[in-house]
Amino acid sequence: MKKLKGNFGYYSHSKRIYNTEEEKAFLKAINKKFKGTVICPNNHIGKLTNNEDYLSIVRKADIVFVSNIEGYIGKGSYKECNTAMENGIPVYLVERNGKDFYFRYAISLEVDNPDNPIKYAAVESVLLD
């Protein structure tokens, strides 16, 4: 498995999986693939009063990881990933199939459901080697 490089990563994901075994499994897979430090907002930051505070952390990252629910990312993850892309920071979609995890390089974000903050956008991506 080829490691992704960088010193500081950020894991963007739905609050629906905060404090779950699913969140732990994704973080474990990300930490196997990325040799730097990964910040999980739920575990390392906590609830901030201003969403811009999360985006300022994203802007400092070398790489952003995102997981989806039923093929979509929420509005908060969309803002984080879009901020990363606008700042030239690579974004990787992490998908799970059973016990296996796949990392896909995000090419673009598509807002499909502007009125649904949970299933807000889809991530167009390509599979890594």
Side-chain angles (χ1 to χ4, degrees), residues 23-35:
E23 180 186 56
K24 289 178 190 173
F26 271 94
L27 280 169
K28 184 176 178 181
I30 291 167
N31 282 311
K32 280 185 179 179
K33 185 76 170 171
F34 181 68
K35 67 179 188 174

Side-chain angles (χ1 to χ4, degrees), residues 80-106:
E80 291 169 347
C81 293
N82 191 55
T83 296
M85 290 175 158
E86 286 176 344
N87 286 277
I89 300 164
V91 175
Y92 291 90
L93 175 65
V94 185
E95 295 183 312
R96 184 178 193 177
N97 184 3
K99 292 185 178 186
D100 296 323
F101 290 85
Y102 300 92
F103 290 75
R104 302 177 63 87
Y105 180 73

Side-chain angles (χ1 to χ4, degrees), residues 32-77:
K32 280 185 179 179
K33 185 76 170 171
F34 181 68
K35 67 179 188 174
T37 300
V38 177
I39 297 295
C40 172
N42 175 45
N43 295 326
H44 302 111
I45 301 170
K47 186 167 177 63
L48 299 175
T49 56
N50 186 339
N51 285 337
E52 182 58 36
D53 294 335
Y54 293 100
L55 300 181
S56 69
I57 295 168
V58 167
R59 286 184 196 97
K60 295 174 185 170
D62 297 313
I63 189 168
V64 171
F65 299 95
V66 64
S67 57
N68 61 26
I69 294 179
E70 298 174 11
Y72 291 96
I73 60 173
K75 190 172 184 177
S77 287

